[in-house]
């Protein structure tokens, strides 16, 4: 599970994205190292909201093999990959 500090950082990043400060949100989250697929998905969704599908795809790719039955994870990863033009 996310640490308390990571949860706060993720909440702040969401608020920054909503207020149009996407570059700050991305910088805030770049150092995050998600340990589980639910964490990866949360982080990737913020990257997608910040219009950074490249970062979302990079965040989600490591968990693809474990997420074979997780439709939300698969769809989010697919959107990120399609948005970057990387279909591999």
């Amino acid at each position: 599970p996310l640490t308390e500090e990571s949860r706060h950082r993720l909440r702040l990043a969401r608020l920054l994205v909503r207020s149009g400060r996407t570059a700050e949100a991305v910088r805030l989250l770049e150092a995050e190292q998600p340990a589980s697929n639910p964490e990866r998905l949360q982080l990737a969704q913020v990257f997608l909201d910040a219009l950074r599908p490249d970062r979302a795809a990079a965040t989600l790719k490591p968990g693809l093999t474990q997420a074979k039955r997780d439709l939300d994870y698969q769809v989010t990863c697919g959107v990120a990959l399609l948005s970057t033009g990387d279909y591999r």
Side-chain angles (χ1 to χ4, degrees):
L2 288 172
T3 65
E4 186 173 340
E5 182 180 337
S6 291
R7 280 195 307 274
H8 290 302
R9 193 174 293 124
L10 193 57
R11 266 190 230 118
L12 177 57
R14 286 186 182 125
L15 291 171
L16 289 169
V17 168
R18 287 188 193 123
S19 66
R21 296 163 62 183
T22 57
E24 289 177 68
V26 170
R27 273 195 306 276
L28 183 66
L29 295 178
E30 282 183 334
E32 285 297 311
Q33 297 294 321
S36 69
N37 278 355
E39 293 173 18
R40 286 184 186 97
L41 186 57
Q42 289 179 48
L43 190 58
Q45 287 169 333
V46 176
F47 283 132
L48 284 174
D49 290 343
L51 302 177
R52 290 298 307 270
D54 56 322
R55 295 291 301 145
T59 299
L60 292 169
K61 277 184 178 181
L64 277 174
T65 54
Q66 298 97 330
K68 289 182 180 178
R69 295 178 189 247
D70 185 340
L71 184 60
D72 195 30
Y73 195 97
Q74 294 288 327
V75 169
T76 303
C77 190
V79 167
L81 290 171
L82 285 171
S83 297
T84 63
D86 182 6
Y87 308 111
R88 294 172 270 141

